[in-house]
Amino acid sequence: MRGRRQAFAAPGSRLDRIVRFLAVALPAGVGVVAAMMLITPLGPRGEVSFLLDRNKVAIADDRLRMDNALYRGVDGQGRPFSIEAGDAVQTSNTVPLVEMHRLVARIVLPEGPAVLSAAAGTYNIETERVTIPGTVQFTASDGYAITASNVSVFLPERRLLGEGGVEGVLPAGTFSADRIEADLPARNVALIGNARLRMVPGQMRLPSGFSVGLNGGRPDSKGGPRQ
């Protein structure tokens, strides 16, 4: 065994030839790798460059667009609410109007849930005014239902104005008028122009803190209250 090992390591043996080859090949390989590291950054890369013609590039028609928008929160009295819109679009930054469709607002009142819905509306970003030219419907679980047209909501003042006629159903009867004005902080609702209420005496019940006034109307023959 010792003789075979001596023959394997003797000069001119296979091991000797391998060592001589590696002594030359390894430094050469290191040199090749170093050269590639220096030359490669200077060579061509696989990047693609191009120019865009501003007259041919597609431009978005809308400055702002949201689909299936949902906003949730809690009001100052701790009542949860949500506001949904099927879509909201602002066509240009020069026009501060956001067009909204399929509007639904929900809130949980002490008497139960209430829902307000409209087909379409417009929000003015500068004046913070919501305008609904069509019909607005409000329904509550305690028997209140109101339908109004051409409604404007002034958010900073929390004031509502309906100029396209209003009619509604209360637990004690019905009412109608040409216009409706509501001061939400003061919790006052005024029916203006041809205001007519048909109520059952003794059953008139308004939500807590609300008062209703008539202007240019009259009570029904049943003797319903004027306020």
Side-chain angles (χ1 to χ4, degrees):
M1 183 181 294
R2 184 180 297 113
R4 289 196 300 270
R5 290 179 178 176
Q6 291 175 350
F8 181 74
S13 64
R14 186 175 63 178
L15 177 61
D16 185 57
R17 292 193 298 271
I18 293 175
V19 171
R20 287 200 302 269
F21 173 78
L22 293 178
V24 177
L26 289 179
V30 172
V32 172
V33 172
M36 292 180 62
M37 294 177 62
L38 295 175
I39 296 174
T40 300
L42 303 178
R45 299 181 180 181
E47 297 178 354
V48 178
S49 61
F50 55 89
L51 297 176
L52 293 177
D53 187 347
R54 64 183 180 87
N55 297 321
K56 297 181 180 180
V57 174
I59 300 175
D61 297 329
D62 307 323
R63 181 175 183 265
L64 178 150
R65 183 178 183 87
M66 294 183 292
D67 294 328
N68 299 320
L70 173 62
Y71 178 77
R72 294 177 178 175
V74 178
D75 68 359
Q77 300 182 23
R79 299 174 300 189
F81 69 88
S82 66
I83 303 174
E84 302 177 36
D87 60 73
V89 179
Q90 182 184 7
T91 57
S92 172
N93 57 356
T94 60
V95 180
L97 299 178
V98 179
E99 302 290 339
M100 301 174 292
H101 299 88
R102 302 187 301 280
L103 299 173
V104 179
R106 296 180 174 89
I107 187 170
V108 178
L109 300 174
E111 298 81 7
V115 180
L116 187 147
S117 61
T122 302
Y123 173 63
N124 191 310
I125 299 176
E126 295 181 351
T127 62
E128 297 186 35
R129 175 181 177 181
V130 178
T131 303
I132 301 175
T135 301
V136 177
Q137 294 181 337
F138 172 82
T139 57
S141 59
D142 56 353
Y144 286 85
I146 300 174
T147 301
S149 300
N150 193 13
V151 175
S152 298
V153 181
F154 303 86
L155 297 180
E157 300 87 356
R158 297 179 62 188
R159 185 168 59 90
L160 181 145
L161 174 64
E163 300 181 295
V166 58
E167 60 183 19
V169 178
L170 306 176
T174 61
F175 70 91
S176 62
D178 294 338
R179 298 176 58 199
I180 182 173
E181 293 185 3
D183 187 341
L184 300 182
R187 301 178 70 84
N188 292 326
V189 177
L191 303 176
I192 303 171
N194 296 317
R196 181 180 178 87
L197 281 80
R198 181 181 179 88
M199 302 293 175
V200 178
Q203 296 187 15
M204 181 62 178
R205 179 175 59 84
L206 291 175
S208 176
F210 265 96
S211 63
V212 177
L214 299 179
N215 186 350
R218 62 184 180 85
D220 186 80
S221 58
K222 288 189 176 183
R226 293 184 62 88
Q227 181 171 338

